[in-house]
């Protein structure tokens, strides 16, 4: 799945940067892809070090790269910057600097968004699958309700978008989000963070679930329990629920009310360049950018929402190892091991 995200971001980057490139463009395509590669090296290097530090820092070969990752990334960028300056030509200066800013803005939007999406995958497949499926559901529902009931134009830059489709898609996506979350949160593969890059659906992944995935029982008041028992034809006194269901509803609201503006932005962008599609990567459906405009915005929101509201911050062994390896000298590390050995021995020998 991570490889798929990287492939998609590469196609989107190519489609957007080609809008400014002519056949005799002095701005080298090599430099474009060089900056793209360096941006990916930095962001995905940060991801690997954060999530797999217990592997990276335990290997002597990788340790220098992990310990000096940001410095290496910065110097690689500086080399690209020097290459750009060396390629400047007097009669093309304005276009070259425009392209320089264009490429960097594209990197900011595409690579950073993709980086967040990959982090979502590593935190648990459900943080990627649910947001992506909500955007797809909203897009399909907006088309269905727009074709069925659409009468009022929603946005001038997207003549086919209607108010009826927008509202109908909102309710459809919220309902799907609630039940979609209820179904997929039952599987460990969907909710467990990734422990190594070889993890797959057949790896038997298990973990202690985040508290938002723990089912609870809501006790019904007696009148409500009586009505529920009649409707269910059996005694019903409680209703099972999980906090994640309501988090899914919040994400569905964003996918319905905010994420579509990514599509509106892309529509305005295309009209600014007088083009119908960003490319022809998907026959009959335009370019990859046309399909991913809302997904990038949704992926960033999902990451920010998860890390600020849901993720449980606690100290892990891998975090401690990283601090020890990067923050202590060799002698201090040996001293720490000696002190820990004494402490563990004291705890082991103490009466219970």
């Amino acid at each position: 799945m991570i490889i798929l995200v990287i492939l998609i971001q590469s196609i989107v980057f190519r489609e957007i940067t080609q809008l400014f490139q002519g056949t005799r463009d002095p701005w080298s395509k090599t430099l474009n892809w060089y900056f793209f590669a360096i941006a990916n090296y930095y962001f995905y290097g940060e991801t690997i070090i954060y999530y797999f530090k217990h592997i990276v820092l335990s290997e002597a070969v990788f340790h220098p790269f992990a310990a000096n990752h940001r410095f290496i990334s910065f110097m690689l960028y500086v080399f690209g910057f020097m290459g750009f300056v060396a390629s400047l030509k007097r009669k093309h200066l304005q276009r070259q600097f425009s392209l320089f800013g264009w490429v960097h803005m594209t990197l900011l939007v595409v690579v950073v968004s993709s980086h967040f999406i990959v982090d979502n995958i590593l935190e648990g497949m459900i943080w990627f699958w649910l947001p992506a499926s909500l955007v797809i559901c909203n897009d399909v529902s907006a088309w269905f309700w727009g074709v069925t009931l659409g009468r009022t134009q929603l946005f001038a830059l997207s003549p086919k978008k209607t108010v009826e489709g927008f509202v109908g898609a909102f309710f459809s996506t919220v309902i799907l989000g609630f039940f979609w979350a209820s179904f997929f949160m039952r599987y460990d593969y969907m909710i467990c963070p990734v422990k190594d890059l070889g993890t797959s659906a057949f790896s038997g992944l298990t973990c202690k679930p985040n508290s938002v995935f723990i089912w609870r029982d809501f006790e019904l008041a007696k009148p409500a329990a009586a009505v529920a028992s009649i409707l269910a034809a059996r005694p019903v006194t409680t209703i099972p629920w999980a906090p994640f269901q309501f988090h899914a509803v919040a994400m569905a609201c964003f996918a319905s009310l905010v994420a579509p503006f990514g599509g509106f932005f892309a529509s305005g962008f295309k009209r600014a360049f007088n083009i119908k599609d960003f490319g022809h990567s998907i026959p009959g459906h335009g370019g990859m950018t046309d399909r991913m405009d809302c997904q990038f915005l949704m992926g960033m929101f999902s990451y920010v929402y998860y890390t600020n509201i849901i993720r449980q911050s606690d100290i892990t062994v891998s975090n401690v190892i990283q601090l020890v390896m990067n923050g202590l000298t060799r002698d201090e590390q040996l001293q720490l091991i000696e002190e820990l050995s004494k402490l563990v021995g004291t705890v082991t020998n103490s009466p219970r």
Side-chain angles (χ1 to χ4, degrees), residues 40 105 143 326:
N40 278 280
M105 283 302 299
W143 170 82
N326 293 336

Side-chain angles (χ1 to χ4, degrees), residues 298-317:
M298 187 69 196
M300 286 192 289
F301 168 77
S302 302
Y303 176 81
V304 174
Y305 185 88
Y306 170 76
T307 54
N308 285 272
I309 298 177
I310 298 176
R311 183 162 65 182
Q312 297 173 333
S313 58
D314 51 3
I315 299 175
T316 64
V317 173

